[in-house]
Amino acid sequence: MIAKILPNEMALVSIDNIRLEISIALMDELDVGDWVLVHVGYALAKIDPAEAKRTLELLQELASAAQECRS
């Protein structure tokens, strides 16, 4: 999720207390609170909040399953 819009077409995104500075140069009209798909430091697409939530839940399930396999 976009936490802060920065100068020079940059933004700060935050997910699960992880913050990353990304470029928003490829996107138009982004606001704080928007969910975006990020690849190699660039926002590529705006994502519906419900879709973002489902994706994060799936990633958490995968992480849990991977951890169980290592045990």
Side-chain angles (χ1 to χ4, degrees), residues 45-60:
K46 194 184 292 191
I47 300 173
D48 175 76
E51 179 182 347
K53 182 181 177 189
R54 284 191 306 271
T55 301
L56 288 173
E57 288 169 352
L58 287 171
L59 290 172
Q60 290 170 347

Side-chain angles (χ1 to χ4, degrees), residues 10-51:
M10 300 296 287
L12 185 65
V13 293
S14 177
I15 299 174
D16 291 335
N17 295 322
I18 297 172
R19 292 179 168 247
L20 178 67
E21 193 171 307
I22 64 163
S23 172
I24 55 173
L26 302 176
M27 300 288 306
D28 292 326
E29 301 181 28
L30 292 175
D31 295 311
V32 170
D34 285 343
W35 288 89
V36 290
L37 173 66
V38 177
H39 181 65
V40 294
Y42 287 86
L44 298 180
K46 194 184 292 191
I47 300 173
D48 175 76
E51 179 182 347

